[in-house]
Amino acid sequence: MTSLAHPHLSGLGRNPAAPHDVLVRLAAHAAGRDGISLRPGRLADAVVDALLTHGDDSTAVHLHGDRISASMRARIAEHPDPAIRDAYPDFVRGMVEREVTIGIGALEEAYGQPRTALVGAPSPSLRAAVARAWFDRPLAVQAALLADPDPQVRAAATEHRQPGVPPEWRERCLADPDPAVRINVARYVPLTSEQFAQLMQGGDEELNQAVAENPHLSAEMTERLMGIDDPLVRVAVAQSRHVDAATRDRLYALVEAERAAGSIAAQVALSWNFTEPDWLREAPLDERMTYLDCRHTTFRRVLASCRDLPEEAWRRLDNDPDLAVRRAAARRPDTPPDVLEALVRRHGDVSHIRPPLVDHPNFPRHVLRSFLHEPDPHVRYVALQDTDLPVQGLRQLAAAAEPFLRRGVARHPNLTDDLLEQLLSDPDPQVADDAAAHCALRPTRMYRILTAAGL
């Protein structure tokens, strides 16, 4: 039996209303075990027992910490199969060896020691993992990591701007024999003229790019970077506070020409470069206002993230040709309701930026159900943000050709029994699975699903 043959089992395992006996029966199927692994909160002992009976070490990875009772943790610790017994610690150790960032709490649980002890562990991979995960570590701990004999630990300790490199450590880190450490630190610490010159001597491409991103560069340093033939450096320099409009336009034009000629590096610099002119947010208002007409979108987007602009500026940003600028402007506290409605009605909302615009205090939520009649399916999806959407509207969306709309209906709190039954029979397995995860699903229907799957 496969999850495609029984698309409801994973959803049923996620269903917050599923009784314990349903979960026990689901544990006999791989898809059911996958769904149970995604449930929030503690699992009942009977469910854990069933998972241990039917699952393997991949199942046991999810059975740890507060998710299970102390008695179940003791049982796993004494399990005769080492793969089961060590499933979670082995998983965490694997992440550590592969240099995948994992939470400090997970490290403490897997290794059975507090972070203060782990930071001095014999394994450099583990010390590096602690450096990546313990974000609010004290400066004394940071100093120990910066002095670590292993370069991977020092690189991990300098990867982020916080907790940062104390002034007395900057010279040593900028001269570190490991290039990763030098690159990390060159990206964010204030540089003296001598330190800047030393970094520029080798002509290292990654080091040049890191220095170009440094927000503390002087006008002289910025000018020195202008001669480097690298699209990423050129874009970083173009975003500098020390560059005038004509020079900025020239640098962007060079990179745009390279992109037109097929340069992947130029494409990355223009489209996948996440650096921004953050200094603009702190600039005097008169200076910021000069960027309202800037031809380069990133400056207008940063400007739109400010909160103290005059009404005329907001009017222009609300009508900016770039959608990202308009969305950034719409997140100000006093955005007019009609601006919010028009923006969402024309382009829909975005799920990856929280909170969504429909949750803005000024958004006129009473108009949400009118989105049902919009031609764009992504705009119609916004109607589902109305938790009181009438059943007739849900029926309309449940009949849509687009599976993502039907999935949205399957997650809506206002589902009726007949709509839920319709969605459980949906040809798209993800829609059917989401319907099985709905808390309104009655236990009698859950048992029928289990019986149909032979569980």
Side-chain angles (χ1 to χ4, degrees), residues 155-167:
T158 55
E159 189 171 334
H160 300 291
R161 300 188 183 195
Q162 296 298 329
V165 178

Side-chain angles (χ1 to χ4, degrees), residues 27 196 237 328 345:
F196 175 84
V237 171
R345 191 176 292 279

